[in-house]
Amino acid sequence: MKTYLIDGNNVIRAEKEWNKLFLEDPERAKNLLVQKVIDYFSNKNNNAIIFFDGFNFIHSHSKVSRNVEIKHAKNKTADETILITIEKNNNKKNLIIVSNDQALRNKARLYQCGVESSEDFIIKLHNQKFFSGEDSKPEPTPDEINELLNLFKRGNKEE
């Protein structure tokens, strides 16, 4: 099981529309990111911790879903708190750091953590698919496609 350590503000600032929202209403932008991450990880066996610079927050940690947590960095930056979390973790190879901060990414690599850019992570969040409702249906498997093709071939021979 992988654990994603996500630099929340960094991800928000890397997405044009989210950054615009962040400039207007930082809390709405953060809530949007948190909801996107919850949705993305809802059907996965991985965990995520979203870190925010937290100078104004009383509560520093909260679990928001089965496998997503939020940590406010209190009197540190999110980068510093992510680094402390890496250092305390016993299985660093199962950590994936999501940030564009080059110093943090380099330190994470020294600890043999996985590293993912904010932009690549945003693409994953935007490309997630949900199979609920009548409008969305799962893609057919190759076996199902072959079965349909064989049915059509047989149908044409009978005419």
Side-chain angles (χ1 to χ4, degrees), residues 62-97:
S62 59
K63 189 164 183 134
V64 291
S65 77
R66 174 181 61 84
N67 53 353
V68 177
E69 302 172 36
I70 299 173
K71 284 192 178 181
H72 291 96
K74 283 190 177 179
N75 59 347
K76 297 182 179 352
T77 67
D79 292 349
E80 291 169 324
T81 308
I82 290 171
L83 190 56
I84 291 167
T85 303
I86 292 170
E87 290 169 347
K88 288 182 177 179
N89 193 289
N90 292 330
N91 201 351
K92 294 169 181 46
K93 289 182 180 181
N94 284 337
L95 298 177
I96 298 174
I97 312 312

Side-chain angles (χ1 to χ4, degrees), residues 24-145:
E24 296 168 7
D25 187 347
E27 286 309 305
R28 269 188 59 213
K30 289 177 184 181
N31 290 337
L32 175 66
L33 173 65
V34 169
Q35 190 56 57
K36 287 279 194 182
V37 172
I38 289 170
D39 292 345
Y40 180 74
F41 283 95
S42 67
N43 60 356
K44 295 189 177 17
N45 290 326
N46 296 323
N47 296 316
I49 305 172
I50 306 168
F51 293 82
F52 291 109
D53 299 319
F55 303 102
N56 304 336
F57 293 91
I58 297 169
H59 302 290
S60 64
H61 178 263
S62 59
K63 189 164 183 134
V64 291
S65 77
R66 174 181 61 84
N67 53 353
V68 177
E69 302 172 36
I70 299 173
K71 284 192 178 181
H72 291 96
K74 283 190 177 179
N75 59 347
K76 297 182 179 352
T77 67
D79 292 349
E80 291 169 324
T81 308
I82 290 171
L83 190 56
I84 291 167
T85 303
I86 292 170
E87 290 169 347
K88 288 182 177 179
N89 193 289
N90 292 330
N91 201 351
K92 294 169 181 46
K93 289 182 180 181
N94 284 337
L95 298 177
I96 298 174
I97 312 312
V98 178
S99 180
N100 284 344
D101 182 272
Q102 203 57 49
L104 177 60
R105 291 166 60 98
N106 290 339
K107 288 176 185 173
R109 284 187 185 104
L110 288 174
Y111 284 113
Q112 297 182 324
C113 300
V115 173
E116 190 167 318
S117 73
S118 294
E119 290 82 5
D120 287 346
F121 187 69
I122 290 164
I123 290 168
K124 286 181 180 180
L125 294 179
H126 284 320
N127 288 336
Q128 62 188 328
K129 293 182 180 178
F130 297 98
F131 298 115
S132 60
E134 293 180 24
D135 292 341
S136 59
K137 294 179 178 63
E139 293 291 320
T141 65
D143 289 338
E144 291 170 330
I145 292 171

